[in-house]
Each structure stands twice: as C-alpha cells, then as structure tokens.
Amino acid sequence: MQRRDFIRMSSAVASAALLGPTLAGCSRPAEWQRMMTEAPATETPTVCNICFWACAAKVHTRGERLWKITGNPEDAHCEGRLCTRGTGGVGAYYDPNRLVRPLVRMGKGADQRFEVASWDNALGLVAERMEKIAREHGPDRLAALVHGPGAAHFSHLVRAFGSDSIAEPAFAQCRGPRDTGFFLTFGQGFGSPEQTDMAKARCIVLIGTHIGENLHNSQVRTFTDGIRNDATIIVVDPRFSVAAGKANHWLPIRPGTDIALLLAWMNVILAERRYDAGYVARNTVGLEALCAHVAPFTPEWAYGETGIEPALIRETARLMAAAAPATVVHPGRHSTWWGDDTQRARAMAILAGLLGIWGREGGYYLPESVALPAYPVPAYPVPKTSWREIALPVFPLAGAPVTNVILDNAHGADAHYKGLIVYDTNLPMTMPGIRRTLEAAAQSLELIVAVDVQPAEVTGYADVVLPECSYLERHDPLRNSGERYPALALRAPALPPRGESKPGWWIAREIGTRLGLGRYFPWTDYTEVIDWQLRQVGSSLKELETTGIRAFPRRTPAYFAPGETPRFATPSGKIELFSATLQQAGFDPLPRYTRPEAPPADHFHLNYGRAPQHSFSRTQNNPVLYQLMPENLVWIHPTAARRFGIRNGTYVRLVNQDGVVSNKVRVRVTERTRPDSVWLVHGFGHTAPGLSLARGRGADDSALMTRVLYDPIMGGTGMRGNFVTFRKENA
C-alpha cells in the first residue's frame, strides 16, 4: 500500500506562461489591430465543450491566433447564437494556468512533489502500473470516472483492458434519479437536450429548474418562444429565479416538499377527472391504485407541508390540465436533492402520464438521433467482476455505475478497486462529502491517473497528470444527440495544441498500445474513425470540415398519431403509473412523501444553483468568464440578515451543521429567497494553487455538503439536506 498525500500543485508547475501571448497580451490595441489585418479569418467547425449542451459552433482564427467563436446557424441546439459561456470559450484556450506538460509524483512523505516528465516516461509509468494491477489483482480492478464527449476514448481503453467499471459522476450527482424515475414510468429517460416541446406548449411547469440561469441554449430559446406564445408559466422554487420572474404563478415551496405538491396536484386532477381519459385508458396501467394512493393528499394537507395555499394548488393543477396535452412538465436536470429523488422524478413522470403529454405536440416530442455505426474493433473481454456485482447489492435499480460506490470500494486493505483513471471531472468539487473518501482511496489505490486541461483540485491526488489539449485543439467523437431532427456535428482542431498537451484520443491510444491492446486502436489518427463513420451514413469528414453539421431526415414521426397505442419499453408495454418493478425490488410502487428534516435553530436550508457566466466548477479560472463573475454571492432574506446583523455587500463565512466553515463570501440581502433558506451559485471557492484566478474566490458549497442523503433506489447523492448559519467577517 502506498501513502499518497495531496500535493498542492504550484502554479509554476502548472502554468502555461512560457507558451507565448496570453489573452491579455492579445487584447492590447496594437496587437489586436495587427491580428485583425495581417491575415484573413479562417473558420473551423467545433462543438462547444464549455457545458454539456454541446452547441455546434465555428472557431474564427487569424493565422494561429484565436479571434472569436460563433454558433453554427444550422444547429438546432443553438441556431447560430452561442450563450455567454460558449463565446467565452476563447478563454479556455488562453487560460494562463493550463496544464501543458505531463507530471509525475516523486518522493515520499512530506517530500512528495510533482515533476515534469516526458510523455514517454509518463505513459510508460501508467502502463507499467496498469499491467501490475492486472497481473496481481485482475484488469477488472481498474475503474474510470469520466465526463464529457472525450470520455469515450478512456471508456474504450478501460473496456479493452478488461473492466466495465466506468462511471460518469453526472449519473449519481446530477441526472440519474430523473432518468431512473422516467425510465421506470415510460421505459425511457431524457437526454440532452431534453425533449420538451416548449415552443408549442400552452402551459410550462418548472419545478426547481433554473432556465435562464443554466443557459441550456435551445431550452432558453424554446422557453422564450413559449412565453411569446402566451403559454401559462408555473414555477415552483424556494427562490424567485429568473424563470419565476417570467411566471404567471410562482410557488415559493418549502424546501424538500416537492412530492407533497405533486401528490396534491394529482389529487385534484384525478378527483375532478381532469386527466386525459382516452390517453390514460389506452396507454397506462395502475390508474385505480394511483387514485386510491393520492386520495388523502388534498391541497389542504399539502398546504401544511409545502406552505402553498390550497386555492393556488387547485388553480395551477387546473391550468396545466386545461392546456394538456400541450403542457410541459419539465423534468429538470440536476435532480439529486433529498434522497427520495427517484420517487420525486416518478411523481413528475406520473403527472405527465395523467396529462397525456408523452409523444404529444406541445408536451414531450419523440427525439431521434442518427443510426451511426460504431467503428469496428474486437469485442471487449468480459470482466471477471462487473460493476453490477459491486453496485446493485447496494442500489438495486442503478442503471449505470455509481461514482460513490466505486470510491467506497477503492479504499481499505480489502478494496476491490486498485487503480483509477479520472478524466475531465474534478471530484472534490463535484461530489458532496467526498473529500474524506477520496483521501482514503488515495492511500489504498496503486494508481491514480488524472487527465485534464487544468490543474484542478483532483490532480493533487494523482500519481500521473496527463495534460489534454482544449476542445479547440482536438478531434472528439461526433456529436449525435437526440433532437427534433437527427444531425451529426464535428469538433475539429482550430489551433495547434499549446505546449506539450495532447488530444484525449492520442493519450488513450498510446496507453493502449503500451499495454498490448493495439488491436483495439487500429487507427493512426482519430480522423480515420470519424471519416469511416460518416461514410457509412452518406457523408464524409471533408463535408463536415466545411459545414460543421449534417442534418438527416427523420425516420419516424416526432409525435404519436391521434388515437395511437404505442408500445413503451416497460415490462407491461404501457406507461406504468404503478411500478411493479419497484414493488418487486422492495420499494414503494407509488411515490410516497417523507417530511424533510427542519433546519436546526438559527440555521437555514443550503440551496444552490447555476449562473449564466459559469459551468459547474469548470470555468472559474477562464480569464474571460472570470471577469464576468469572479466570485459567488450568498443570498440571504432580509429577516435573517436583520437577525444576524448582516448588511448587504459585506462578507460572511457559512458554517454548516457539522461545523465546516466556508471561505468568506459576499452577501446579497434579497427577498428573492425564502426566509428559511440561503442560496449561492455552485462551483466557487477553489483551493487548487495552480488556479491563479479562481483560488479562494467565493464559497465552495460542495465542501459544506457533509451530509449526503443517498437515494436507495439508484444511489443518487442528495445534496440539499445541509444547513448553514453565519459568521460575520470584518472585511
């Protein structure tokens, strides 16, 4: 067992300062003028990687200098208009702290440090340690935690090595409960973008969904279209969000009581027979059981739980029913809240089923992607132990590997996992309460490899840090998202990699070659894979290098035909209002409400969300986006501010129920949050010294999430069961 201490990577090791002009340097008037006149602009297609929406875009360069990034007008994700973050992708290239050379851990104990290494030595060390794990324990003892489109390269590597333990933190930390709840109901989850037909909706219901702040591009545009078309907007949120400012009805719900409201809405719709009787009769099972289940949950009962007036509950239920099937019950995105999150998603899905909106115009359209064949490679070896054998005994209906289960099984003398590859996911600021587990895993694991663009916090735990070039400098798998019409979009390198950074496909292939897995990587350049795939569907790399995107005709309709009785991918072939699958697994077949814990005295619910300037914790060091929002603010209601003597604009430290203290954070005193809650933007308060702009700016909400409420069905990490109080600062 190797003791591996966290290394505070210095900015000197991580910096790209030796690489020439920075963004600031190029912004000098004389330099900018030369760049604008010395060469004509060149356009290169890309797919934005600043957030997961993955808008197709064009990179405009002059010579080898980046000028700007604009949206591709042929793309349904953006229609030619990028959001704040997408245009700020310029800063991803010019970030002065980018990783540009491989680093390896050297020394022992207090003398541990990172030293610059050659690619040959760094990759050789990774392959040597992986071979040792396979020889002494088995290849299935390697796991990967990955994020984003480039993750496909490392998923392929790990599967070829002999392991299927490949988790996306987004499953257990973001969308997993939503997708599980809808899958149990409709036999299908939601992708990106969500298949919400808001432009044609007559009623849009948002339950904790911050459209307008999360800037999911096409969602914001279609939401705006819905408003323009006089759709009724109903927003359920403890905070008066941007979307609430556009709403006909804002329901400032008590945190943690969403299921109570959803049951009351169903009570009204069923008791008053306002559901779509024909659709429900043709397409659902379990109506009788549902009626009996929701009968006690009247709006009067829900008022005591949610704080929402019974008359308002009835009015909003009637409005969404009157507009159906042109009603969107938005499933949201981040859905790991209170530990009952799959059941919360189930309640939303059941409500959608009663309203008859799946496959209906103005509700949920049926998305379609391109039938794109995979590049031919040998079949992967069957792992001796699958992730299912590790995760399903704990979370029986997990539909994908669970990040926290992998880390829980990566520390201790008898740990199952002996090696970990972490690609483009900053675990300390992604997973609540994970630092102690990650530190324990770091002592047990025989290998930790971090592949990243930035010297983020997670790199300090690695044995080897491999610098990936930014999305503006590499090819990645074709974007093939389900949409209103199927389309493929190309990400191509517009600029040479900075320093010695390399594309992810190259890193994965080089490791695989050293492991004797070359048959799984039968290409010299990843463009061979892309061109082969495109030729199978009547296109080519040459075509997409010009257009950036290729649309294809739909093979199936976007909506069900009137009176159609489709077969859903559930055990019954119907929309399952009552879930026999849940019942057989020992869970409630219908959503059950559990009253959440109330805050301790002088504490407040810790709520968090997004801002249009940043994506998670990934962009705070981006020199463009940093200028737009250098730190987060904590929203405090005036009654709480008066009680603690806190003034607007001053700094406080947040102290959670377990005594964890945040960095100092500036206060915004506002009535836009409930008196029992505070709110701040996620992703700030970085501690990595290599992030010279972001380090120490604002409060890290994830560090305050020491209490995790695990979803027993699929393993989601509920993050909203934490409470904070205030410690005033002098400056």
Side-chain angles (χ1 to χ4, degrees), residues 313-377:
I313 294 175
R314 284 193 171 87
E315 181 182 3
T316 48
R318 291 165 181 165
L319 285 169
M320 64 180 79
T327 293
V328 169
V329 179
H330 201 292
R333 185 78 189 188
H334 177 67
S335 58
T336 47
W337 292 11
W338 290 91
D340 56 2
D341 303 305
T342 296
Q343 293 288 22
R344 175 180 176 270
R346 272 272 296 153
M348 296 171 69
I350 292 168
L351 176 62
L354 291 176
L355 297 173
I357 67 178
W358 190 281
R360 309 285 289 279
E361 187 174 65
Y364 301 151
Y365 68 86
L366 304 175
E368 190 173 294
S369 56
V370 179
L372 187 69
Y375 191 87
V377 294

Side-chain angles (χ1 to χ4, degrees), residues 42-49 55-61 66 68-69 72 93 149 153 469-479 488-497 503 505 525-527 530-531 534 540-549:
T42 299
E43 291 184 0
T44 304
T46 192
V47 175
C48 182
N49 198 46
C55 295
K58 299 179 180 182
V59 184
H60 303 259
T61 55
L66 176 55
K68 64 180 179 179
I69 307 171
N72 189 321
Y93 181 72
H153 307 305
C469 55
S470 78
Y471 75 99
L472 299 169
E473 304 153 70
R474 68 181 195 242
H475 285 103
D476 268 331
L478 292 162
R479 191 202 75 191
L488 297 173
L490 175 69
R491 173 180 292 158
L495 297 149
W505 67 262
D525 191 278
Y526 197 69
T527 54
I530 296 172
D531 191 52
L534 288 170
S540 67
L541 177 61
K542 183 177 181 180
E543 178 188 2
L544 261 70
E545 284 176 336
T546 301
T547 63
I549 192 165

Side-chain angles (χ1 to χ4, degrees), residues 87-104:
T87 56
V90 172
Y93 181 72
Y94 286 112
D95 186 336
N97 299 136
R98 281 181 52 179
L99 293 166
V100 293
R101 296 168 181 153
L103 304 172
V104 297

Side-chain angles (χ1 to χ4, degrees), residues 35-349:
M35 187 181 80
M36 293 291 289
T37 57
E38 67 184 10
T42 299
E43 291 184 0
T44 304
T46 192
V47 175
C48 182
N49 198 46
I50 299 298
C51 87
F52 56 81
W53 213 250
C55 295
K58 299 179 180 182
V59 184
H60 303 259
T61 55
R62 291 180 181 272
E64 290 190 354
R65 299 183 192 176
L66 176 55
W67 174 26
K68 64 180 179 179
I69 307 171
T70 61
N72 189 321
E74 302 303 316
D75 184 27
H77 286 213
C78 70
E79 293 185 354
R81 292 168 290 181
L82 294 183
C83 72
T84 306
R85 296 174 297 196
T87 56
V90 172
Y93 181 72
Y94 286 112
D95 186 336
N97 299 136
R98 281 181 52 179
L99 293 166
V100 293
R101 296 168 181 153
L103 304 172
V104 297
R105 180 182 293 266
M106 302 294 290
K108 297 182 179 180
D111 293 329
Q112 292 180 72
R113 64 197 181 279
F114 281 125
E115 290 188 0
V116 174
S118 69
W119 273 106
D120 189 58
N121 287 343
L123 295 170
L125 177 60
V126 172
E128 177 186 325
R129 295 272 186 93
M130 288 176 66
E131 287 176 332
K132 182 174 182 292
I133 290 170
R135 184 172 61 251
E136 297 181 359
H137 308 288
D140 58 308
R141 301 300 188 92
L142 179 76
L145 304 178
V146 298
H147 181 266
H153 307 305
F154 296 90
S155 297
H156 177 61
L157 169 66
V158 172
R159 290 185 188 280
F161 186 64
S163 174
D164 66 355
S165 293
I166 304 160
E168 293 187 42
F171 178 73
Q173 280 70 57
C174 183
R175 56 175 172 74
R178 177 200 76 174
D179 291 350
T180 303
F182 274 79
F183 182 83
L184 287 166
T185 310
F186 293 99
Q188 181 179 334
F190 278 80
S192 296
E194 285 80 20
Q195 61 231 47
T196 51
D197 206 16
M198 290 187 287
K200 298 180 179 179
R202 295 194 296 126
C203 180
I204 300 171
V205 184
L206 305 180
I207 307 178
T209 299
H210 303 155
I211 292 179
E213 292 162 318
N214 54 24
L215 283 191
H216 300 163
N217 201 327
S218 56
Q219 294 274 285
V220 174
R221 290 188 294 100
T222 55
F223 178 61
T224 303
D225 289 340
I227 294 171
R228 187 179 297 114
N229 294 332
D230 294 325
T232 299
I233 311 298
I234 300 168
V235 173
V236 181
D237 203 313
R239 182 179 64 98
F240 191 76
S241 62
V242 168
K246 311 299 181 184
N248 302 87
H249 298 283
W250 172 45
L251 283 61
I253 194 169
R254 183 175 294 128
T257 65
D258 290 12
I259 292 179
L261 175 63
L262 288 159
L263 290 171
W265 273 341
M266 286 187 269
N267 173 286
V268 173
I269 289 169
L270 287 168
E272 299 180 1
R273 300 188 64 82
R274 294 177 181 270
Y275 60 93
D276 189 327
Y279 184 95
V280 168
R282 290 192 306 274
N283 297 309
T284 73
V285 294
L287 178 63
E288 185 176 341
L290 178 65
C291 289
H293 179 71
V294 303
F297 303 125
T298 64
E300 285 72 23
W301 166 83
Y303 176 46
E305 300 296 327
T306 65
I308 307 300
E309 293 281 352
L312 184 54
I313 294 175
R314 284 193 171 87
E315 181 182 3
T316 48
R318 291 165 181 165
L319 285 169
M320 64 180 79
T327 293
V328 169
V329 179
H330 201 292
R333 185 78 189 188
H334 177 67
S335 58
T336 47
W337 292 11
W338 290 91
D340 56 2
D341 303 305
T342 296
Q343 293 288 22
R344 175 180 176 270
R346 272 272 296 153
M348 296 171 69

Side-chain angles (χ1 to χ4, degrees), residues 671-682:
E671 293 183 348
R672 289 178 61 182
T673 185
R674 281 177 56 99
D676 60 2
S677 304
V678 302
W679 184 85
L680 73 167
V681 173
H682 167 72

